Amino acid sequence: MSEEREEMLRRMEANAHENGYHLCPDKELLDTLIDGLVSNEKRYGYGACPCRIASGIKTYDSDIICPCEYRDADAAEFGMCYCALFVTTEVKEDPSKMKPVPERRPIEAQDAAMEALDGKVDGKEKSALPASSSDTIPIWRCTVCGYLAARETPPPICPICKVKADKFEPFGFGK
Amino acid sequence: MTENCSRHKVFIYALSTCGWCKKTKELLKGLGVEFDFVDVDRLSGDEREKARNELKKHNPRGSFPTIVIDDGAKVIIGFQEEEVKEVLSG
């Protein structure tokens, strides 16, 4: 294994661990995904999701830089993220539960990124996401240690005190 | 038996880095199904937009892999092993 692959694998393993996930139990698929992330980091300068099309313009791709903005919502609903790099404990223990995850990223985000790449958009700092979906984001508070997380769903485990998602309560909305 | 080889026209919209696209291509190869494909991330400019627009006609979410069978008579989105076998190996 090349050094950059090993480094990517280490990074993703650490991220999975910190967030209460596991890496893809299908070893062959995991290898492809890690290779894809390394390729994307080389050609775009950041690890865009290997299973999505990226533009190479960071502002427009920010929602699909791994771990993507959709990971936690997909893991909560399907037990794994869109590309299956991150899975829940349940799916790790029974990989037969791995099923295709429908794309949650709005097509408008992909279109905007591709238009920007082809220079059809003047405003360079436009958000990659339609305003409606990025306006506000729920905030979750860990009732045990007070840790705050701004994300669609509570984290599977608190990164600080390690309690599970059910110890989180809604704490309003952030921008 | 090779009779399933050319019964359907099969086209895959894929990405060169996508693990599920790779699995889909391998599944079809294993079934002896002939197919054409394009790795859309390797295209640029008008070529890429033309491919994306075609893809969106069959799959409005524009996700990969998307298998278009017989010019859209049947479309399979994502790695759907059972569905692929049912439609293409029969």
Side-chain angles (χ1 to χ4, degrees), chain A residues 26 29 32 36 43 50-53 82-84 100 103-105 107 110-111 114 117-118, chain B residues 15 17-20 22-23 26 40-41 45 48-49 52 56 60-64 79-80:
Chain A
D26 177 337
L29 181 59
T32 313
R43 61 178 167 172
C51 297
R52 291 181 167 112
I53 190 160
Y82 179 67
C83 74
E103 174 61 299
R104 193 180 290 272
R105 186 191 200 202
I107 186 65
Q110 186 190 121
D111 288 344
M114 293 300 138
L117 176 58
D118 291 337
Chain B
L15 297 175
T17 49
C18 166
W20 295 100
K22 189 177 167 194
K23 268 183 174 301
E26 280 166 4
V40 181
D41 61 314
R48 189 199 59 237
E49 284 313 283
R52 283 205 322 118
K56 282 193 282 181
R61 279 270 154 175
S63 60
F64 305 91
F79 177 73
Q80 311 275 1

Side-chain angles (χ1 to χ4, degrees), chain A residues 4-5 20 28 31 40 44 62 65 81 90 94 109 116 131 137 144-145 148 150 155 161 164 166:
Chain A
E4 49 204 351
R5 286 199 66 218
E28 213 181 310
D31 284 347
N40 283 349
Y44 303 130
S62 60
I65 296 176
C81 71
E90 199 188 341
D94 181 6
I137 186 157
V144 176
C145 73
L148 295 175
C161 72
K164 289 192 175 160
D166 58 6

Side-chain angles (χ1 to χ4, degrees), chain A residues 26-42:
Chain A
D26 177 337
K27 183 73 178 60
E28 213 181 310
L29 181 59
L30 176 62
D31 284 347
T32 313
L33 296 171
I34 294 292
D35 281 341
L37 281 169
V38 169
S39 300
N40 283 349
E41 197 163 67
K42 272 188 193 159

Side-chain angles (χ1 to χ4, degrees), chain A:
Chain A
M1 205 194 306
S2 75
E3 208 169 293
E4 49 204 351
R5 286 199 66 218
E6 255 178 85
E7 165 59 24
M8 181 64 76
L9 188 61
R10 262 202 303 272
R11 235 165 73 198
M12 292 304 159
E13 243 160 9
N15 189 286
H17 186 72
E18 273 166 30
N19 291 282
Y21 297 121
H22 308 273
L23 291 188
C24 181
D26 177 337
K27 183 73 178 60
E28 213 181 310
L29 181 59
L30 176 62
D31 284 347
T32 313
L33 296 171
I34 294 292
D35 281 341
L37 281 169
V38 169
S39 300
N40 283 349
E41 197 163 67
K42 272 188 193 159
R43 61 178 167 172
Y44 303 130
Y46 43 83
C49 176
C51 297
R52 291 181 167 112
I53 190 160
S55 64
I57 304 172
K58 200 172 181 181
T59 333
Y60 287 85
D61 293 341
S62 60
D63 60 320
I64 55 165
I65 296 176
C66 185
C68 72
E69 277 186 16
Y70 311 101
R71 175 182 70 176
D72 298 326
D74 282 334
E77 194 173 342
F78 303 103
M80 56 188 237
C81 71
Y82 179 67
C83 74
L85 180 64
F86 297 100
V87 305
T88 58
T89 302
E90 199 188 341
V91 167
K92 191 207 173 199
E93 282 167 4
D94 181 6
S96 71
K97 288 181 177 161
M98 289 175 73
K99 294 277 150 51
V101 173
E103 174 61 299
R104 193 180 290 272
R105 186 191 200 202
I107 186 65
E108 291 82 2
Q110 186 190 121
D111 288 344
M114 293 300 138
E115 274 181 28
L117 176 58
D118 291 337
K120 289 174 194 159
V121 175
D122 314 324
K124 285 176 198 128
E125 292 306 313
K126 276 196 173 179
S127 164
L129 285 174
S132 58
S133 56
S134 60
D135 247 353
T136 58
I137 186 157
I139 299 192
W140 300 90
R141 180 179 172 275
C142 174
T143 53
V144 176
C145 73
Y147 170 76
L148 295 175
R151 49 200 277 162
E152 290 302 324
T153 55
I157 59 166
C158 175
I160 306 301
C161 72
K162 311 294 179 198
V163 293
K164 289 192 175 160
D166 58 6
K167 297 288 183 197
F168 277 79
E169 62 179 17
F171 197 69
F173 290 85
K175 270 255 179 202

